[in-house]
Amino acid sequence: MTDSKSLHFDRRKLLKAAALTPFAGLALSGCDAKPAQSAAANKTVTVTSYGGSYNDQLTQTILDPFSKKTGIQPTLLANTSLAALKAQVQSGDVQWDLVEITAPEYETAVAEGLLEKFDYDIISDKGLPGYAKAEYGIKYLSFLFVMAWDQKVIPDAKAPKDWAQFFDQDKYNTKRSVYNQLSDSSVLEAALLADGVPFDKIYPLDVDRALRVLGHHPGKDRLLYHSANQEPIQQLTSGEVSLSTSFNNRINAARTDGAKLNFSPENAVLAGDYFVVPKGAKNKEAAFQLMNFMSNDAEAGAAFDKVTNLTLANTPALSKLPKAVADTLPTSPRLADKILVRDDKWWSQNLKKTEQQFKLWQAS
């Protein structure tokens, strides 16, 4: 269990590493790949992620350039889940090669023996920041769990500055939507922040207290729940809600498409997802080659960061970003003391029982 002092240190350490890594990658160019695989290496790779605009961005910036460079043909699906990965491994019929899962799910998958070890003879770790490299996967991106609003109803000048304002029904007499998939939702952290808990006292989570906040203010009848990342965009743009939790890249994509939405990066929660290879994957060598490209190709990584507003675990890419873009990324040093870093270890140890408690609370 992480105490407050070590958690604060970890947050600073992570963000400091993100600030310094561009210079570590200045000498790198292109993919800096390890020796090429034999001619018998697989020429297809099936990737699963979360769909919507994010899948489009991943295809445009990473998968298409990778295919052009290597001749390996990726297929990108939108139905990723740890449950499906587990079912495939247990049945011996593994259809996926590279799977996106949340950080707590990564810890669960490792503990249950569901994953292939990553081959760092194929994947060069030169481009990987220290926090990203793991034995059975790569924490390949960082994102922000944010408060978002409909600008047609709430002008930016009157938008919530913190989670207390976000949940304040007297200040915003409107329905709100919150993400109910606790493996990557930080709604419980947001509730505790709204109740005045400082960043360095959030963990271990006081789940009972967080649920009291959600139930009392604004009241359970004023909260809607979404379970997919595109839902808050639809709810906000349709006028069903005026405030919602979301992820920074989803709001940016909607704004690019003309939606009158905005968000604040301050008081957000920093988290990340892993790419993993299921045990028994048919094209694991191709999956490792894709991870090598994703972690080291500077041009592709910079394009991904610019389009998504996420931080890819690719240090050469950071050196190619304009300061105006780098300053908006989740790992920007300017946010170091203004965001909470999610405690993946706490969640990996408490996810199942917390999910059960949350579902029972919702149903009560």
Side-chain angles (χ1 to χ4, degrees):
M1 192 167 289
T2 307
D3 61 30
S4 61
K5 182 180 291 184
S6 63
L7 180 61
H8 181 68
F9 171 78
D10 287 344
R11 177 168 70 248
R12 295 294 305 213
K13 179 180 175 183
L14 172 62
L15 292 164
K16 183 178 180 182
L20 294 177
T21 46
F23 302 100
L26 283 174
L28 295 172
S29 62
C31 188
D32 191 25
K34 294 276 185 164
Q37 297 300 290
S38 69
N42 294 322
K43 291 298 181 182
T44 63
V45 58
T46 299
V47 184
T48 64
S49 187
Y50 293 104
S53 60
Y54 174 70
N55 271 26
D56 295 338
Q57 294 163 343
L58 190 61
T59 298
Q60 172 194 342
T61 61
I62 301 293
L63 299 185
D64 285 350
F66 169 74
S67 181
K68 185 176 181 180
K69 187 179 185 72
T70 66
I72 297 172
Q73 184 60 50
T75 298
L76 180 59
L77 306 177
N79 56 339
T80 194
S81 77
L82 178 59
L85 182 157
K86 183 175 182 177
Q88 290 182 26
V89 172
Q90 291 181 336
S91 71
D93 183 20
V94 179
Q95 300 297 315
W96 297 346
D97 302 310
L98 193 64
V99 182
E100 183 171 358
I101 57 177
T102 68
E105 289 173 337
Y106 169 79
E107 301 290 345
T108 300
V110 171
E112 296 184 4
L114 302 175
L115 307 178
E116 296 278 356
K117 284 188 178 181
F118 265 37
D119 188 342
Y120 289 101
D121 286 331
I122 298 175
I123 307 166
S124 171
D125 61 4
K126 289 183 180 179
L128 287 173
Y131 68 83
K133 181 181 177 181
E135 188 174 9
Y136 292 91
I138 288 176
K139 193 173 186 179
Y140 85 104
L141 66 77
S142 299
F143 54 82
L144 294 177
F145 180 86
V146 301
M147 59 188 89
W149 56 87
D150 177 0
Q151 291 174 303
K152 300 188 301 295
V153 178
I154 303 173
D156 289 349
K158 297 183 178 181
K161 306 299 183 186
D162 54 39
W163 289 104
Q165 292 185 8
F166 177 90
F167 286 114
D168 188 342
Q169 190 63 27
D170 292 331
K171 186 174 181 65
Y172 303 107
N173 185 22
T174 179
K175 289 186 176 180
R176 293 147 178 80
S177 181
V178 297
Y179 189 31
N180 67 359
Q181 302 299 302
L182 295 187
S183 63
D184 59 341
S185 169
S186 296
V187 66
L188 298 184
E189 287 91 336
L192 292 174
L193 291 170
D195 207 35
V197 180
F199 288 159
D200 62 355
K201 301 294 185 183
I202 290 292
Y203 300 102
L205 281 184
D206 186 337
V207 177
D208 291 333
R209 180 176 177 179
L211 294 180
R212 286 197 298 272
V213 174
L214 292 177
H216 172 72
H217 199 55
K220 289 172 67 174
D221 61 329
R222 303 293 288 172
L223 282 178
L224 303 181
Y225 297 95
H226 58 266
S227 57
N229 292 331
Q230 282 298 104
E231 283 186 73
I233 307 303
Q234 297 162 358
Q235 292 171 333
L236 286 165
T237 55
S238 70
E240 186 176 7
V241 302
S242 301
L243 290 164
S244 182
T245 65
S246 189
F247 296 104
N248 62 305
N249 63 307
R250 296 285 178 169
I251 301 299
N252 273 325
R255 286 170 60 84
T256 299
D257 291 339
K260 300 297 184 182
L261 307 179
N262 209 350
F263 73 95
S264 172
E266 295 188 10
N267 294 295
V269 184
L270 176 68
D273 281 352
Y274 280 77
F275 263 135
V276 299
V277 174
K279 185 173 286 294
K282 299 179 178 68
N283 302 301
K284 67 178 182 180
E285 289 84 5
F288 294 147
Q289 288 186 63
L290 175 53
M291 289 310 305
N292 180 65
F293 179 85
M294 189 179 298
S295 303
N296 292 284
D297 190 284
E299 297 295 338
F304 177 91
D305 288 349
K306 289 177 184 176
V307 170
T308 63
N309 202 229
L310 301 171
T311 303
L312 190 67
N314 176 327
T315 57
L318 296 177
S319 67
K320 292 186 172 292
L321 294 174
K323 185 177 185 298
V325 174
D327 282 350
T328 68
L329 295 179
T331 50
S332 167
R334 74 182 185 88
L335 294 176
D337 295 317
K338 300 176 182 178
I339 60 176
L340 171 72
V341 176
R342 202 166 195 245
D343 189 335
D344 295 335
K345 187 173 183 179
W346 186 93
W347 274 107
S348 68
Q349 295 171 345
N350 295 276
L351 178 61
K352 289 183 179 179
K353 68 178 182 182
T354 305
E355 284 181 328
Q356 183 178 28
Q357 184 176 355
F358 185 64
K359 289 175 182 176
L360 289 172
W361 174 81
Q362 282 184 284
S364 65

